[in-house]
Amino acid sequence: MLNQMILVGRLTNEIVVEKNKDKSKEYKKYAVISLAVPRNFKNSDGVYDTDFIDCYAFDNIAQCTCGSCHKGDIVGVKGRVERVDSNLDIRLIAEKVTFLSSEQQEE
């Protein structure tokens, strides 16, 4: 089976790279990429709903994304879904982040 997800959306906040405090993990730095992903259909009120999804990027991906992408930019995130602990919570681990367009370019 293939575990892969692709999301395209706007960054909802500035990306901040933080150091991992858990020494047992294999990565040293991480960043949370918060995306606003619009749905491609309207709800019963005739409005497009938006889902807000957090993606986790580690080490080099986190640093490169932090330096080149800012709040309001449209980005594509390709990654894998990972289960958190033993409960049903999941998170998206970013394997590739692609800068698509800037909010400043559109104005």
Side-chain angles (χ1 to χ4, degrees):
M1 286 193 192
L2 187 63
N3 179 1
Q4 197 170 54
M5 181 181 284
I6 298 172
L7 297 173
V8 176
R10 284 196 185 273
L11 293 174
T12 60
N13 56 16
E14 291 293 330
I15 300 170
V16 178
V17 177
E18 298 180 17
K19 290 189 176 185
N20 184 21
K21 295 176 181 155
D22 186 1
K23 300 297 181 188
S24 65
K25 300 291 183 182
E26 67 272 9
Y27 53 87
K28 296 177 183 171
K29 296 178 183 177
Y30 73 96
V32 178
I33 302 169
S34 298
L35 288 180
V37 181
R39 294 186 182 175
N40 62 351
F41 56 89
K42 294 180 181 180
N43 62 16
S44 59
D45 297 329
V47 178
Y48 290 101
D49 286 332
T50 302
D51 296 310
F52 297 91
I53 301 170
D54 288 339
C55 307
Y56 294 83
F58 300 106
D59 294 332
N60 291 339
I61 296 172
Q63 289 180 312
C64 292
T65 304
C66 178
S68 60
C69 299
H70 304 284
K71 181 179 178 179
D73 291 347
I74 298 175
V75 296
V77 177
K78 177 182 168 187
R80 71 183 192 285
V81 176
E82 179 178 273
R83 185 184 292 185
V84 179
D85 299 323
S86 61
N87 44 4
L88 298 176
D89 294 336
I90 61 170
R91 63 181 173 188
L92 181 68
I93 305 300
E95 296 173 346
K96 183 176 184 179
V97 178
T98 305
F99 175 78
L100 299 175
S101 73
S102 173
E103 188 175 60
Q104 294 175 352
Q105 289 175 352
E106 294 174 7
E107 294 174 356

